[in-house]
Amino acid sequence: MYNREGKNIRDRISDIYRESDWGYYLLRPFYLLYTLGLKIIPDKFIIKSSFKKHMGYTLDLDNPQTLNEKINWLKLYDRDELHTLVADKYKVRAYVEKKIGAKYLIPLLYQTKDSNNIRPENLPDNNYIIKTNHDSSGGVIVRESSEIDWNSTRKRFKRLLKENHYYSTIEWQYKNIEPRIIVEKLLTNDDGSIPDDYKCHCFNGKLEFVMIDFDRHTNKRTRNLYDSNWNLIPCNWGRPYGRDVPRPENFEELKFLAETLAKDFKYVRVDFYLVKGHIYFGEITFHHASGFQKFYTDECDYKFGQLLNLD
């Protein structure tokens, strides 16, 4: 069930839990009880139940065929300490620097394990983003430090540092990440807008398609998929089609960088930002939408699934 803003009820409850004092203290006991249950129930049971709920059919782990099925197979059977390292938005920086070079990293302005250190005197005056390294909660965009409620912001991140993303997604790579807060320079276009991100989906080390999300900080989010030759793919995944965009001038460089970072993994999504002719690394994600996002047609899910070799 969705409200007028396009968020489902679970997302609305999550917002209340994260962003309001009364919501946090009211819902915290239920959250702890929920995570306790998740710790007791086998991962396989939770994944199969969640898959049926989101996708509408039974997950076949013995002979997965669709891309979403294979993503969930990977969640259970492809677990490695390297996954934990590169899923950590702080520690992945050293990995990226070693693999492709420091020039592709977004400038890191500050990092801490203590939310009490998130104060304007420790940070720039403007244009940065505050986020955690261990989950997918997004972040707080700061255009001007003077406009931020710092008490509320510290409280928000104090709570986030207590969360373990693994128990809500059964994505193992998040389980052992040491939580911390990182502050990065805010990337913007010439008009001050937030740049679109280019999500490079790589199968067995090769770029198969690029997903571009448009207006992702609004309620009018759209998405296009382009193949490795920059042809628009007549399949869409979770979002309606957006505006067509020309092939980036530095697309071959983008492709090379994505495949370089992906070569050690069966399936991975490597995100980049293209800003003023420069490529910046965003993050590495192993299970897009946790493997629970429908394509607009089942044929697309099957088609992409056949391209991914799990052997």
Side-chain angles (χ1 to χ4, degrees), residues 44-45 97 109 114 177 208:
K44 184 176 180 179
F45 179 85
E97 182 175 353
L109 306 177
D114 187 349
I177 295 177
E208 290 295 344

Side-chain angles (χ1 to χ4, degrees), residues 129-193:
I129 181 169
I130 311 171
K131 57 187 179 182
T132 55
N133 67 321
H134 68 298
D135 68 2
S136 59
S137 64
V140 174
I141 293 175
V142 180
R143 299 284 189 170
E144 295 291 340
S145 292
S146 59
E147 298 175 356
I148 300 297
D149 181 340
W150 289 104
N151 286 329
S152 176
T153 300
R154 283 190 291 273
K155 192 177 296 182
R156 170 189 173 91
F157 281 98
K158 181 179 180 179
R159 294 168 181 173
L160 285 174
L161 290 175
K162 296 178 181 179
E163 309 298 333
N164 191 317
H165 196 49
Y166 162 71
Y167 292 111
S168 60
T169 65
I170 315 302
E171 296 181 50
W172 178 86
Q173 66 273 17
Y174 294 111
K175 186 175 184 179
N176 298 313
I177 295 177
E178 183 180 20
R180 75 177 69 221
I181 303 165
I182 58 176
V183 181
E184 294 178 337
K185 178 182 178 181
L186 181 65
L187 300 179
T188 59
N189 297 313
D190 289 331
D191 62 359
S193 62

Side-chain angles (χ1 to χ4, degrees), residues 250-277:
N250 50 2
F251 178 63
E252 289 303 318
E253 181 184 7
L254 177 73
K255 180 178 177 180
F256 171 78
L257 297 174
E259 292 183 344
T260 299
L261 292 174
K263 69 179 182 179
D264 293 326
F265 312 110
K266 288 182 174 64
Y267 163 78
V268 73
R269 196 193 80 204
V270 189
D271 296 358
F272 295 95
Y273 300 98
L274 275 58
V275 182
K276 303 172 186 177

